[in-house]
Amino acid sequence: MPTNKPTGAQLVISTLKALGVDVLFGYPGGAIMPIYDALAGSGLRHILVRHEQGASFAADAYARATGRVGVCMATSGPGATNLITGIANAYMDSVPVVFITGQVATHLMGTDGFQEVDFLGLTLPVVKHSWLVRDAAQIPAILARAFAIAKEGRPGPVLVDIPKDVAASFVEASEMGELPAWTPAAPKADAIEAAKALIEQAKKPLLYIGGGVHMADADAEMRDFVERTGIPFVSTLKGLGTVSTYHDLHLGMLGMHGTRAGNMAVQETDLLIAVGARFDDRATGKLSAFAPHAKVIHFDIDPAEFHKNRRADVAILGDLKQALPALRPTMPDISDWVKLNKANKWQHRFKYDAPGKGVYAPALLKSLSEKAGKKFIVACDVGQHQMWVAQHCEFEQNRAHLTSGGSGAMGYGLPAGMGAKLGLPDHHVVTVSGDGSFMMNIQEMATLRRYGINLKIVLLDNSSLGLVRQWQELFYEENYSEIDLSDNPDFVEVAKAFGLSAFRITQRHEVEGAIDRLLAADAPTLLHVLIDPRENVWPLVPPGASNAEMMEERWDEPIDSY
């Protein structure tokens, strides 16, 4: 057997190192075994998760938090299919992740071989690009191109599927080769001038800031634009923190669970300036009634987003780092508009003096973010707690709010926190989860323990699928169908069984001390918080309604202690 030539698997590992990969997430198995054989002793830091979905979410959050490409590996068949939710999640939220999967040997493909699945075919709708590698000599060039495609333009997931015999074959040493540098499109001057004219004519302009801004690494340019123009702004779920949520021009998140001040501003504006946002249904509500008086300027790197949901009067295609500095309007007098929005923001501010003695989750989350400070990063699951985080946590930096936006994938929070903490170990990374979401990837507590990943977990436990229960209460005549989780395990004891520190609070007076204890802990720690199962997320725009039709909070009963 030749020993002076590398195998395809060895080329995978050497190429990943050459591309600057410092950590990857995965789970081995038969078809990918040659690559794991080459991994041993390579110096690459591999995090062995306890479920492939955990690897996909961890790589996703690593990419979101650091701005680098995340890397994830799994074997063929069920190993690969366990990645699909994570791949779709990265696709929906435009996150650069390279997924490397093992495949059965080429002579078995098409024979229904053991653990054979046409993974390339299965994932075509939810990847930016994909390869089925048939020549091991091409591995360096393919992986280099995969990284480039994942990152350039509108980011997204890329799949590289490698048959076992290709990975095991010996080849002449090959290199990545020179890849042409991707140059982002410069905005067209006539579009910039048209946008400038609209802003100069506007009386009530409003910025609508989406997650595309930090994907473009254009946070500084966005913040400068806000300061230069003095235009009030709303944020999408993924746009939170692009400009500090403490900013006096920030009106909060817009949409279904947005602030009243934010949604009022959208309904009154005469010029909506959408920056890296896609007019998704959770933000717009009833689309025909969204921003009814507004002309629209739309900035995006992806031309497919223009006019997809809302027709733009001016569409500016290109790199935000170039486009935002190029747009320098002479601002009209919008002082009355600014004063109105600031007054609305104050009048409709959230209140935290809920009656009763039980823990009020919004107040806890606000205090948590304030105490954690500028290095606070939250990795959030999906449900009521996700909306409370978006509404009540303060974010002073970009890439600080990590959540499954477009996909809404429960089970994201724990592995995502793990990935973010590994990417940014000097930050206060906190996973916020609900009891429903937490059970979906609870096994990753073992990963935290093994690698000493100092993630902090806040588990808000209402013994139910809270957001589903809220909808059943409001829109299904209180027909509570399959939302009862009152037989949850004792999460503190479960966490301890996994080797984590854990403690519980049930009353409001315990909150401040518990947050201090959690943030000061020097080991992965779970804070289990029992909350009232009747507590709802407010405000709420009913499904199919206009954002002007917000349902308000009602404190008819006290928040009970548990």
Side-chain angles (χ1 to χ4, degrees):
M1 180 177 293
T3 58
N4 60 338
K5 296 180 180 181
T7 64
Q10 289 170 333
L11 289 178
V12 170
I13 300 304
S14 62
T15 304
L16 291 178
K17 293 176 72 173
L19 289 166
V21 173
D22 61 354
V23 63
L24 65 159
F25 307 86
Y27 202 95
I32 203 169
M33 206 171 291
I35 295 175
Y36 272 86
D37 183 63
L39 175 68
S42 68
L44 276 180
R45 188 180 188 192
H46 177 274
I47 303 299
L48 176 63
V49 298
R50 299 306 172 97
H51 191 286
E52 291 90 352
Q53 187 181 101
S56 67
F57 286 152
D60 170 294
Y62 174 91
R64 295 190 203 220
T66 65
R68 304 175 66 187
V69 176
V71 183
C72 174
M73 298 199 306
T75 195
S76 65
T81 57
N82 281 341
L83 297 177
I84 288 179
T85 297
I87 295 172
N89 188 68
Y91 183 79
M92 290 288 286
D93 283 355
S94 303
V95 182
V97 183
V98 171
F99 292 88
I100 300 170
T101 50
Q103 183 56 274
V104 300
T106 52
H107 70 276
L108 291 174
M109 291 170 61
T111 69
D112 294 329
F114 178 66
Q115 292 191 332
E116 180 192 1
V117 170
D118 177 9
F119 199 56
L120 185 107
L122 277 177
T123 55
L124 280 175
V126 289
V127 293
K128 192 175 176 185
H129 197 74
S130 53
W131 279 273
L132 175 61
V133 181
R134 292 183 177 273
D135 180 358
Q138 295 180 356
I139 284 174
I142 286 173
L143 282 175
R145 191 74 188 109
F147 272 65
I149 289 173
K151 186 77 172 167
E152 66 190 26
R154 182 175 183 165
V158 175
L159 170 68
V160 180
D161 198 30
I162 306 176
K164 186 174 184 179
D165 58 329
V166 173
S169 63
F170 291 90
V171 294
E172 295 292 341
S174 59
E175 298 180 355
M176 294 182 289
E178 291 294 325
L179 290 173
W182 178 76
T183 303
K188 292 184 177 179
D190 57 349
I192 294 292
E193 286 302 310
K196 180 173 177 285
L198 284 184
I199 293 174
E200 292 176 346
Q201 298 163 14
K203 293 181 173 59
K204 300 177 180 180
L206 184 70
L207 284 161
Y208 162 28
I209 298 175
V213 179
H214 74 249
M215 292 175 198
D217 195 26
D219 302 82
E221 289 78 9
M222 187 76 257
R223 294 179 184 210
D224 176 69
F225 187 84
V226 170
E227 298 304 328
R228 283 193 287 110
T229 63
I231 298 174
F233 63 97
V234 294
S235 301
T236 67
L237 181 69
K238 287 183 60 197
L240 289 166
T242 300
V243 182
S244 172
T245 56
Y246 286 110
H247 200 291
D248 63 351
L249 292 173
H250 183 228
L251 303 177
M253 186 173 69
L254 80 163
M256 178 173 281
H257 289 293
T259 63
R260 177 164 283 279
N263 281 341
M264 289 172 66
V266 172
Q267 295 308 104
E268 291 298 321
T269 182
D270 62 0
L271 179 63
L272 189 65
I273 307 167
V275 188
R278 59 189 179 88
F279 294 89
D280 70 285
D281 58 293
R282 286 297 175 102
T284 65
K286 184 179 180 181
L287 192 59
S288 61
F290 178 72
H293 312 298
K295 292 185 177 180
V296 172
I297 298 169
H298 192 179
F299 291 82
D300 213 289
I301 194 68
D302 184 356
E305 289 300 334
F306 294 136
H307 319 303
K308 184 177 79 175
N309 293 325
R310 173 69 179 257
R311 183 153 193 87
D313 296 273
V314 177
I316 301 177
L317 176 67
D319 179 21
L320 289 176
K321 289 180 73 67
Q322 300 177 58
L324 288 170
L327 182 54
R328 293 185 171 271
T330 301
M331 287 302 299
D333 182 3
I334 60 171
S335 57
D336 288 343
W337 170 241
V338 172
K339 288 177 184 176
L340 174 64
N341 281 291
K342 287 183 178 179
N344 286 336
K345 179 180 177 180
W346 175 256
Q347 180 182 351
H348 299 289
R349 66 193 183 281
F350 289 113
K351 298 177 175 63
Y352 298 99
D353 54 345
K357 297 181 180 180
V359 176
Y360 184 47
L364 180 150
L365 293 168
K366 182 174 178 59
S367 180
L368 172 69
S369 65
E370 290 172 345
K371 284 176 178 285
K374 291 185 178 181
K375 289 197 169 184
F376 174 60
I377 294 176
V378 65
C380 192
D381 260 304
V382 172
Q384 286 181 315
H385 58 282
Q386 179 189 34
M387 295 299 101
W388 284 327
V389 164
Q391 291 174 335
H392 303 287
C393 285
E394 302 288 357
F395 300 102
E396 297 189 61
Q397 60 173 332
N398 66 322
R399 303 186 182 278
H401 178 233
L402 315 178
T403 194
S404 175
S407 179
M410 295 174 69
Y412 178 79
L414 178 53
M418 185 168 68
K421 185 65 177 177
L422 285 165
L424 298 172
D426 63 334
H427 284 61
H428 278 305
V429 182
V430 182
T431 283
V432 177
S433 190
D435 47 312
S437 289
F438 193 63
M439 289 287 281
M440 291 199 172
N441 274 313
I442 196 169
Q443 75 285 339
E444 297 310 328
M445 286 197 289
T447 312
L448 296 180
R449 173 63 177 171
R450 165 174 285 198
Y451 297 102
I453 302 169
N454 191 9
L455 177 67
K456 309 303 169 54
I457 304 165
V458 174
L459 174 54
L460 299 174
D461 184 354
N462 57 10
S463 298
S464 68
L465 294 174
L467 203 54
V468 179
R469 185 210 56 76
Q470 178 172 343
W471 278 48
Q472 289 175 349
E473 174 190 335
L474 298 175
F475 309 122
Y476 291 87
E477 299 180 341
E478 300 185 9
N479 181 28
Y480 297 121
S481 176
E482 300 302 324
I483 48 83
D484 177 22
L485 300 180
S486 60
D487 56 352
N488 280 326
D490 184 327
F491 287 112
V492 168
E493 293 303 315
V494 170
K496 289 179 177 179
F498 274 106
L500 272 63
S501 299
F503 63 104
R504 176 182 297 111
I505 61 172
T506 63
Q507 299 188 30
R508 196 167 308 178
H509 68 82
E510 301 174 287
V511 167
E512 297 304 313
I515 294 173
D516 291 339
R517 177 180 171 184
L518 180 74
L519 294 176
D522 60 0
T525 302
L526 171 77
L527 168 57
H528 183 218
V529 185
L530 293 179
I531 63 173
D532 192 331
R534 299 165 299 175
E535 186 63 30
N536 287 334
V537 179
W538 302 108
L540 165 65
V541 176
S546 159
N547 283 352
E549 303 173 69
M550 302 190 76
M551 298 174 67
E552 294 288 358
E553 184 169 19
R554 300 186 304 272
W555 278 340
D556 298 327
E557 298 182 46
I559 307 301
D560 288 335
S561 299
Y562 282 81

